[in-house]
Amino acid sequence: MGTQPTKESDLDRLRDVEGVTCVFNTQQDKDMEYWKVDFESVKRHMKKRDVKLERYPFVDFSADSLRDGLPAAAAALDASLRAGDVVYLHCTAGMGRSPGLAIAYMYWFLDEYDTLDGAYEGLTSIRPCGPKMESIRGATCDILASAPGAWPIKPLKRDLRDSEGTTLSPTEKSDIQNKLRR
């Protein structure tokens, strides 16, 4: 997880040094345009290097955008990892959107994290960043409240108590995984 790859050498390093086979881009087009990234060139080089591209654009600094998009993005991330891909997650600076996706994945899919605080600490202890925990918590509640087979998962239209969505029982974790893996 980190910053946006902006040139061929960035992608070459990801592929050759880190073994990356799939890049998850959580930026909007306007983010790349602002930083003058030639995204078409980046995509061509990814194809040349046999690196898959997944796009899940979130609005930067928007808790609602992150909350709404996390279930689909985490489901796709899980599918890529289960297929054996080595994944690089990025937004512009690697400080909000991509860490938010990483933490949601860790919380929902990895057995070592039963609490959102645990997943958050697990990531932020190795990469200081500030993803919006309330987005992950809200998305967790949205998934748990959704009907089996419902897609896309719609955000709840109510206020959430602070404690909701912060600790998952094994049954709740399994429910989330089953809903996102269907």
Side-chain angles (χ1 to χ4, degrees), residues 90-151:
H90 80 85
C91 46
T92 300
M95 303 300 283
R97 295 170 284 184
S98 58
L101 174 54
I103 291 168
Y105 172 81
M106 292 164 60
Y107 182 41
W108 297 338
F109 289 98
L110 300 183
D111 290 336
E112 61 261 34
Y113 301 107
D114 295 329
T115 67
L116 179 54
D117 288 340
Y120 192 90
E121 174 62 28
L123 185 98
T124 60
S125 68
I126 57 174
R127 179 168 179 86
C129 54
K132 298 187 179 303
M133 279 184 52
E134 69 271 17
S135 299
I136 303 164
R137 185 178 57 79
T140 302
C141 291
D142 296 342
I143 297 167
L144 290 171
S146 67
W151 196 264

Side-chain angles (χ1 to χ4, degrees), residues 150-168:
W151 196 264
I153 293 168
K154 302 290 186 200
L156 299 171
K157 299 295 183 202
R158 63 182 176 90
D159 290 330
L160 301 170
R161 289 179 291 135
D162 286 345
S163 62
E164 288 184 300
T166 58
T167 303
L168 293 175

Side-chain angles (χ1 to χ4, degrees), residues 6 34 45 57 79 98 141 172 174:
T6 60
Y34 178 84
H45 196 65
S98 58
C141 291
E172 290 171 324
S174 177

Side-chain angles (χ1 to χ4, degrees), residues 23-41:
V23 170
F24 266 69
N25 175 329
T26 62
Q27 296 174 290
Q28 293 183 292
D29 290 342
K30 69 180 185 174
D31 300 324
M32 292 175 283
E33 291 165 7
Y34 178 84
W35 292 102
K36 298 180 179 23
V37 174
D38 181 354
F39 189 55
E40 291 306 315
S41 175

